[in-house]
Amino acid sequence: MEIASMNNDEKPSNFFTKGLLWFKSSHEKIFAKIVGIAKQLKTIAKDDPRRVIHSLKVGLSLTLVSLFYYFQPLYNSFGVSTMWAIMTVVVVFEFSVGATLGKGLNRGMATLLAGALGVGAHYLASATGKVMEPILLGLFVFLQACALTFIRFFPQVKARYDYGMLIFILTFCLVSISGFRVDEIVDMAHKRISTILMGASVCVIVSIVVCPVWAGEDLHKLVAQNMEKLGKFLEGFGDEIFKSSEDITESKVTKTSLIEYKSVLNSKNTEDTLANFAKWEPGHGQFKYRHPWKQYLKIGGLIRQCACRIDALNAYINSEIKAPEEIREMIKETSMKMSIECGKALKELSKSMRKMNLPISADEHVTNAKNSAKKLNALLKSRINNWEEINLLQVIPLATIASILTDIVNCVEEIGQGVNELASLANFKTTKSCKEIINTNKVMVVEKIELSNNHVVITINEQNMKL
Amino acid sequence: MEIASMNNDEKPSNFFTKGLLWFKSSHEKIFAKIVGIAKQLKTIAKDDPRRVIHSLKVGLSLTLVSLFYYFQPLYNSFGVSTMWAIMTVVVVFEFSVGATLGKGLNRGMATLLAGALGVGAHYLASATGKVMEPILLGLFVFLQACALTFIRFFPQVKARYDYGMLIFILTFCLVSISGFRVDEIVDMAHKRISTILMGASVCVIVSIVVCPVWAGEDLHKLVAQNMEKLGKFLEGFGDEIFKSSEDITESKVTKTSLIEYKSVLNSKNTEDTLANFAKWEPGHGQFKYRHPWKQYLKIGGLIRQCACRIDALNAYINSEIKAPEEIREMIKETSMKMSIECGKALKELSKSMRKMNLPISADEHVTNAKNSAKKLNALLKSRINNWEEINLLQVIPLATIASILTDIVNCVEEIGQGVNELASLANFKTTKSCKEIINTNKVMVVEKIELSNNHVVITINEQNMKL
């Protein structure tokens, strides 16, 4: 009996402790989850503070547009159509100005065109009588939906007018089927188009006026940054690969900077998207309306090609090189020079691109790297007879590294050419410092100064300085 | 006088001929453009005939939904809300079942949730009196728009719930601001949700029933195809690089198959998108509901890594190799073996993946390739003393190729491991042929046959054959 009663007594307390434990553990779990999410929120905001500003901008635009509901006169004239302004803001407002403008223009143009065609189709169908009308309308809807859905598969259309196609299909269906009389439709279309225009204007204005995010600028920075990442790797690679085994433990800190280049391999999609958005953007800052955005994609492709070589090179970063000291030292010096000069060239190209200056010393670094490659070849040719007991197996990793590096030098040269093309297409500034001009021992004689098309043209005559 | 009149006579005829010529040339230009577009249409349809079917499916769904307008009883009960069914079809219908289901579920859930919250916010605000109501509503709209726009930057949310977030913001704004009485809102919400559900159901049903396009299947095929492309390159590479200069002109035909691998380098984005869509899809064909789609992304990453090495290798395909005949022959044989065995392994892996069989001979090919690599190393070690006048410079390209190939063998081994993991996760079939069973000198004794859950279970007892 006692045992039974004890058991009975224990059960509820057991239940409560279990419950408390469960509550405590789940409470802790939830707390840990919340902390995790909060940390992630912080990282996302820290990575790109413009994201926070973008969120505030969307909130602001929506609140502005929702004012239409509160101002009685506005609401009276537009009625339920005010809804379309809110829809437009929610759907059109994108992170960058280019994306917002592109979507806004697509939406506006598609609504106008499809609306007009829809009214036409509706008018045509209603003229054929009550029996034929639904059949004809159904046929119109079917045909235009099929045709435009198929056209959306065109790569050029998909890249720039996909959203417009969608809105065209939608608007055409809504207008042609609606079943209203033509004058009713015209009134409705007027209201809808006005509200859509209002919504789109609010988006575009807020997007451009409040801390604008330019897709073009992002593309420009991304390409420059990718070049810098490769440059960093190449500068660091020389030290990493030829260091003695004692230093290997120390190098973990620097290694994080050596894997940055991996993100470059998958940057194609971001670049393509940004270039498409950038084409919608008006001139801003240093970028004119028809800035050569295509050239960035070309440079981006070359950079990825170089990153691929670097990825192949990276496979050797952890392999121990056992070559004889003499060969090692010989190859080390020239390879390091090649790697570091390529790195410097890329960093220089990146820096000059960021500042939109003509790259001055990049070509010099490439030439240095090429000379090192030639030197390595010459050394290998001349010293070959001095190595009596050569172990080919031990030389192969070094030879491979040297060979891939030579390939990288060519890649960097091509990137340099790409940047130079961009510089001439986009009229990058020359930054010839005074010192350099003086060093050339020439005297600049200003011949005439004239004003044409908002530019001051200064004609200069160069003469040799008579010392 | 005569000259003048002649000139006068000529002018109109000149004008007409110019006009005719202009008309003819512009006519030809337009005609050429139309022909160009038609050709592009044909290519797009030929590349993937499912695109044509998809267009027809969209047309069909829209026509079906637009029937709501013509059936008076349906139209009478839903009124203008019928519009939402059309909007849903236009916006939700995507190329693959996964994308359609994902968008449909996102739209449905977001509308329900945001609708309920919106009614709550509206009720709360209207309880505070006429002055506070618009301020409070404005605050609600601003806060939720900011918060949700920011949450959209979370990578996990962006990948799967981006559209839902958009619809949440939209619905919350529309419902909370609308200015209707609560009972009106409930009626409106009921109509809107019903029509959205109808639209979404039509999309999902048409998408699944009429020639479904499964994103999961596409991902499966894409990964298998990418493996095959690399396999083709590696099989072709051996012949290409070691052929004598006389054959070079002939090889242009085969070279087109050698650049196919380039598309693999940029496949990450497509794979990620398809995997996200695939997660929404129910079980279909050989794929169960929780098929390990993540594993495909892992294999895809390994394939791209291998493609990167191949890109580095490709740089040597046009370089002339001048190494002495003896070395050349020695390295040629083993390198070709490595390349071809890797190619065979990849093709075998691709084939077994397509058929969802366990890869049998792929490991064998990898082992062969590894053995060749070892053989090459051993050869280099043993023969080294026989080469008296070795020219290191001439050997370097060959050594590099061999070195990169060794690296590729490792990559292929990793891909093989990835596919094996997938095979065990997804229960690929074993295809032990009868011949193999007989070869093992065992006798299979069928112990019992029973029927459970639609499967026939045959229990077999293996005994050594007494010959």
Side-chain angles (χ1 to χ4, degrees):
Chain A
M1 267 297 281
E2 229 183 300
I3 298 166
S5 81
M6 253 182 73
N7 273 350
N8 273 347
D9 278 353
E10 257 184 22
K11 257 180 196 163
S13 85
N14 235 347
F15 180 77
F16 275 120
T17 26
K18 267 187 189 169
L20 262 172
L21 278 175
W22 174 84
F23 181 76
K24 217 178 163 188
S25 75
S26 66
H27 181 257
E28 272 166 7
K29 263 184 207 163
I30 292 169
F31 187 72
K33 198 142 202 177
I34 290 174
V35 169
I37 292 175
K39 270 184 189 164
Q40 211 178 350
L41 275 172
K42 208 179 152 190
T43 338
I44 289 171
K46 228 176 178 179
D47 278 355
D48 193 349
R50 296 176 306 173
R51 288 170 176 163
V52 181
I53 297 171
H54 172 70
S55 306
L56 294 173
K57 276 157 78 179
V58 173
L60 176 71
S61 310
L62 265 180
T63 319
L64 277 178
V65 167
S66 66
L67 285 180
F68 290 169
Y69 271 95
Y70 308 130
F71 284 123
Q72 216 55 41
L74 267 175
Y75 187 76
N76 287 346
S77 60
F78 291 116
V80 197
S81 288
T82 327
M83 179 180 88
W84 292 95
I86 290 182
M87 282 187 79
T88 306
V89 170
V90 173
V91 180
V92 165
F93 210 121
E94 293 275 336
F95 189 58
S96 67
V97 176
T100 310
L101 263 173
K103 266 198 158 176
L105 286 174
N106 261 310
R107 189 178 181 105
M109 293 304 294
T111 308
L112 273 176
L113 268 175
L117 272 177
V119 171
H122 184 75
Y123 184 76
L124 207 75
S126 60
T128 57
K130 275 283 160 206
V131 184
M132 279 297 285
E133 192 185 339
I135 300 172
L136 213 59
L137 277 178
L139 197 72
F140 284 153
V141 167
F142 181 77
L143 287 180
Q144 70 94 21
C146 288
L148 288 182
T149 309
F150 191 71
I151 289 174
R152 281 177 72 193
F153 286 113
F154 272 74
Q156 309 94 308
V157 175
K158 183 127 212 119
R160 297 198 70 190
Y161 307 108
D162 196 52
Y163 185 65
M165 289 287 151
L166 207 71
I167 295 296
F168 190 100
I169 301 177
L170 178 64
T171 313
F172 184 88
C173 289
L174 289 184
V175 172
S176 67
I177 302 173
S178 61
F180 294 112
R181 292 194 318 275
V182 171
D183 53 339
E184 274 179 335
I185 291 185
V186 170
D187 179 54
M188 194 180 75
H190 165 236
K191 277 183 186 166
R192 200 166 288 179
I193 288 169
S194 321
T195 45
I196 287 181
L197 280 183
M198 272 193 278
S201 321
V202 168
C203 286
V204 170
I205 292 170
V206 171
S207 167
I208 293 182
V209 172
V210 187
C211 309
V213 175
W214 301 100
E217 210 181 308
D218 277 10
L219 176 63
H220 183 84
K221 279 182 187 161
L222 177 70
V223 172
Q225 200 185 18
N226 282 349
M227 264 193 275
E228 205 193 329
K229 280 179 185 170
L230 300 195
K232 262 189 194 168
F233 177 92
L234 288 172
E235 276 201 342
F237 177 76
D239 302 326
E240 194 69 27
I241 192 78
F242 291 107
K243 81 164 119 246
S244 56
S245 48
E246 298 145 33
D247 314 328
I248 282 176
T249 43
E250 290 174 33
S251 65
K252 272 184 185 162
V253 188
T254 48
K255 261 182 192 162
T256 49
S257 82
L258 284 182
I259 52 164
E260 265 186 355
Y261 80 91
K262 292 229 182 227
S263 69
V264 178
L265 289 168
N266 296 320
S267 61
K268 186 182 185 329
N269 197 52
T270 319
E271 281 173 16
D272 286 349
T273 316
L274 284 176
N276 274 325
F277 290 158
K279 281 177 195 156
W280 291 106
E281 288 173 353
H284 54 277
Q286 300 153 302
F287 308 99
K288 287 186 191 141
Y289 171 56
R290 283 180 173 280
H291 195 75
W293 301 118
K294 252 192 173 174
Q295 184 67 19
Y296 286 88
L297 299 184
K298 196 181 155 193
I299 299 174
L302 292 171
I303 292 175
R304 268 191 302 285
Q305 210 176 358
C306 187
C308 225
R309 304 279 182 282
I310 285 181
D311 199 42
L313 202 60
N314 193 36
Y316 294 92
I317 217 162
N318 290 320
S319 62
E320 221 177 318
I321 292 164
K322 292 180 202 153
E325 196 60 28
E326 190 201 0
I327 307 175
R328 194 183 142 102
E329 277 307 310
M330 191 191 83
I331 297 185
K332 174 182 170 177
E333 199 192 323
T334 43
S335 290
M336 270 180 80
K337 180 99 181 163
M338 271 158 83
S339 183
I340 288 171
E341 287 292 335
C342 279
K344 275 186 186 163
L346 283 174
K347 276 188 160 179
E348 164 71 26
L349 284 170
S350 163
K351 200 175 143 195
S352 73
M353 198 164 148
R354 263 180 225 269
K355 293 190 179 169
M356 297 188 92
N357 292 333
L358 276 173
I360 306 166
S361 57
D363 287 346
E364 214 173 280
H365 290 301
V366 172
T367 317
N368 287 346
K370 281 182 129 180
N371 287 340
S372 294
K374 274 181 201 159
K375 201 174 153 192
L376 180 64
N377 273 1
L379 272 172
L380 287 173
K381 251 183 197 161
S382 63
R383 296 272 183 93
I384 218 80
N385 300 325
N386 299 345
W387 296 333
E388 300 230 321
E389 283 195 3
I390 184 176
N391 188 337
L392 198 57
L393 253 191
Q394 292 180 344
V395 181
I396 281 181
L398 280 180
T400 311
I401 291 171
S403 182
I404 297 178
L405 274 174
T406 317
D407 212 14
I408 286 176
V409 175
N410 294 334
C411 278
V412 172
E413 196 182 8
E414 276 181 59
I415 295 174
Q417 282 164 3
V419 174
N420 278 328
E421 271 171 45
L422 177 69
S424 73
L425 284 169
N427 297 320
F428 280 11
K429 297 182 292 288
T430 40
T431 49
K432 225 178 185 186
S433 60
C434 290
K435 209 176 131 202
E436 280 174 292
I437 294 175
I438 290 168
N439 277 343
T440 56
N441 286 340
K442 303 238 176 179
V443 180
M444 303 289 169
V445 178
V446 176
E447 285 201 331
K448 65 180 171 189
I449 302 179
E450 54 189 349
L451 196 73
S452 80
N453 289 341
N454 294 329
H455 293 285
V456 180
V457 178
I458 305 178
T459 314
I460 287 176
N461 192 5
E462 229 175 46
Q463 293 177 341
N464 280 325
M465 209 188 268
K466 284 151 200 153
L467 292 169
Chain B
M1 267 297 281
E2 228 182 299
I3 298 164
S5 79
M6 253 182 74
N7 273 350
N8 274 345
D9 279 353
E10 257 184 21
K11 258 179 197 163
S13 83
N14 234 344
F15 180 77
F16 276 120
T17 26
K18 269 187 189 166
L20 261 171
L21 278 174
W22 173 84
F23 181 77
K24 215 178 162 187
S25 75
S26 65
H27 180 257
E28 274 166 5
K29 263 184 209 162
I30 291 168
F31 188 72
K33 197 139 204 180
I34 290 173
V35 169
I37 291 174
K39 270 184 189 162
Q40 211 178 348
L41 275 173
K42 207 179 153 191
T43 338
I44 288 171
K46 226 177 180 178
D47 279 353
D48 194 348
R50 298 178 304 174
R51 286 169 178 165
V52 182
I53 298 170
H54 171 70
S55 307
L56 294 173
K57 276 158 75 179
V58 173
L60 177 70
S61 311
L62 264 180
T63 319
L64 277 178
V65 166
S66 67
L67 286 180
F68 291 169
Y69 271 96
Y70 307 130
F71 284 124
Q72 217 55 40
L74 265 177
Y75 188 75
N76 287 346
S77 61
F78 291 116
V80 197
S81 287
T82 327
M83 177 180 88
W84 292 94
I86 292 183
M87 281 185 80
T88 305
V89 170
V90 173
V91 180
V92 164
F93 209 121
E94 293 274 335
F95 189 58
S96 67
V97 176
T100 310
L101 262 173
K103 266 197 157 177
L105 286 174
N106 261 309
R107 191 180 180 103
M109 292 304 295
T111 308
L112 274 175
L113 267 175
L117 271 178
V119 171
H122 185 74
Y123 184 76
L124 207 75
S126 60
T128 56
K130 276 280 160 208
V131 184
M132 278 299 285
E133 192 186 339
I135 300 174
L136 213 59
L137 278 178
L139 198 70
F140 284 154
V141 167
F142 181 77
L143 287 180
Q144 69 94 22
C146 289
L148 289 182
T149 309
F150 191 70
I151 289 173
R152 282 177 71 194
F153 285 113
F154 271 74
Q156 308 96 307
V157 175
K158 183 127 212 119
R160 298 197 69 188
Y161 307 108
D162 197 51
Y163 186 65
M165 289 287 151
L166 208 70
I167 295 296
F168 191 100
I169 300 177
L170 179 63
T171 312
F172 184 88
C173 288
L174 288 184
V175 172
S176 66
I177 302 173
S178 60
F180 294 113
R181 290 194 319 275
V182 171
D183 54 338
E184 275 180 335
I185 290 185
V186 171
D187 179 55
M188 194 179 76
H190 164 238
K191 278 183 186 167
R192 199 165 290 179
I193 287 169
S194 325
T195 45
I196 286 181
L197 279 182
M198 274 192 277
S201 322
V202 168
C203 286
V204 170
I205 291 169
V206 171
S207 168
I208 294 182
V209 173
V210 188
C211 309
V213 174
W214 301 101
E217 210 180 308
D218 277 10
L219 176 62
H220 183 85
K221 280 183 186 160
L222 178 69
V223 172
Q225 200 186 20
N226 282 349
M227 264 193 276
E228 205 192 331
K229 279 180 186 169
L230 299 195
K232 261 190 194 167
F233 177 92
L234 287 172
E235 276 201 342
F237 177 76
D239 301 325
E240 193 68 28
I241 192 77
F242 291 107
K243 84 164 116 250
S244 56
S245 49
E246 296 144 34
D247 315 329
I248 283 177
T249 44
E250 290 174 35
S251 65
K252 274 185 184 161
V253 189
T254 48
K255 261 181 192 163
T256 50
S257 81
L258 284 183
I259 52 164
E260 265 186 353
Y261 80 91
K262 293 228 181 227
S263 68
V264 179
L265 289 168
N266 297 318
S267 60
K268 186 181 185 331
N269 196 54
T270 320
E271 282 173 16
D272 286 350
T273 316
L274 285 177
N276 274 324
F277 291 158
K279 282 178 196 157
W280 291 106
E281 287 174 353
H284 55 278
Q286 302 153 300
F287 308 100
K288 288 186 190 141
Y289 171 56
R290 282 180 174 280
H291 195 75
W293 300 117
K294 251 193 174 174
Q295 185 66 18
Y296 286 88
L297 298 185
K298 195 182 155 191
I299 299 174
L302 292 171
I303 293 175
R304 266 191 302 286
Q305 211 175 358
C306 188
C308 224
R309 304 279 182 281
I310 285 181
D311 199 42
L313 202 60
N314 193 35
Y316 294 92
I317 217 161
N318 289 319
S319 62
E320 220 177 316
I321 292 163
K322 291 181 203 155
E325 197 60 30
E326 188 202 0
I327 308 176
R328 197 183 139 103
E329 276 306 311
M330 189 191 85
I331 297 184
K332 174 182 168 175
E333 198 191 323
T334 42
S335 291
M336 269 180 80
K337 181 100 180 161
M338 272 159 82
S339 183
I340 288 171
E341 289 291 336
C342 280
K344 275 185 185 162
L346 283 175
K347 275 187 159 179
E348 163 71 27
L349 285 171
S350 162
K351 202 175 140 195
S352 72
M353 196 163 150
R354 263 180 224 269
K355 293 189 178 169
M356 296 187 94
N357 291 335
L358 276 174
I360 306 166
S361 57
D363 287 345
E364 212 176 295
H365 289 301
V366 172
T367 318
N368 288 345
K370 281 181 130 180
N371 287 339
S372 295
K374 274 181 201 157
K375 200 175 154 193
L376 181 63
N377 272 0
L379 272 172
L380 286 174
K381 250 183 200 162
S382 64
R383 297 273 183 94
I384 218 79
N385 300 326
N386 299 343
W387 296 334
E388 301 231 321
E389 281 194 7
I390 185 176
N391 188 337
L392 198 57
L393 253 191
Q394 292 179 345
V395 181
I396 281 180
L398 280 180
T400 311
I401 290 171
S403 182
I404 297 178
L405 273 173
T406 317
D407 212 15
I408 287 176
V409 175
N410 294 335
C411 278
V412 173
E413 198 183 8
E414 277 180 61
I415 294 174
Q417 283 164 2
V419 175
N420 278 328
E421 271 171 46
L422 177 69
S424 72
L425 284 171
N427 299 322
F428 280 11
K429 298 182 293 286
T430 41
T431 50
K432 227 179 181 183
S433 62
C434 292
K435 209 175 131 201
E436 279 174 293
I437 292 173
I438 291 167
N439 276 343
T440 56
N441 286 340
K442 305 239 176 178
V443 180
M444 302 288 167
V445 179
V446 175
E447 287 202 329
K448 64 180 171 186
I449 300 180
E450 52 189 349
L451 195 76
S452 79
N453 288 341
N454 294 329
H455 292 287
V456 181
V457 177
I458 306 177
T459 314
I460 286 174
N461 192 6
E462 227 174 46
Q463 294 176 341
N464 279 326
M465 207 187 269
K466 284 153 201 152
L467 291 171

